[in-house]
Amino acid sequence: MKTYKCEEMMCNGCVSRIDKALTEAEIKHTVSLEDKTVTIDGCAHCETKAVEILDDLGFTPVEL
């Protein structure tokens, strides 16, 4: 399980976009607007794919 900080996450719209994209990719995750974090619960491949998805959405994931 890895957690990534996404400073660009500003509103529930951001949370929805992230949640939808990760759900469609079948990646188990948790998104926290309050902490501006995305936690990935999966294998290394899932974590790599999630980072790619976040980048594609315009977020800069920084591993915590």
Side-chain angles (χ1 to χ4, degrees):
M1 186 178 309
K2 284 192 181 171
T3 300
Y4 300 90
K5 186 84 163 178
C6 295
E7 289 293 342
E8 299 89 353
M9 192 186 313
M10 298 293 173
C11 64
N12 283 322
C14 295
V15 172
S16 294
R17 286 177 52 225
I18 292 169
D19 188 52
K20 181 180 179 200
L22 294 177
T23 299
E24 286 176 356
E26 298 182 356
I27 296 173
K28 198 171 175 184
H29 65 281
T30 307
V31 183
S32 170
L33 177 58
E34 182 180 339
D35 298 328
K36 296 187 178 189
T37 59
V38 179
T39 302
I40 306 302
D41 184 8
C43 64
H45 173 74
C46 293
E47 293 164 355
T48 301
K49 183 67 177 168
V51 167
E52 290 174 11
I53 290 169
L54 291 168
D55 280 334
D56 289 347
L57 291 173
F59 298 97
T60 308
V62 177
E63 187 177 336
L64 297 179

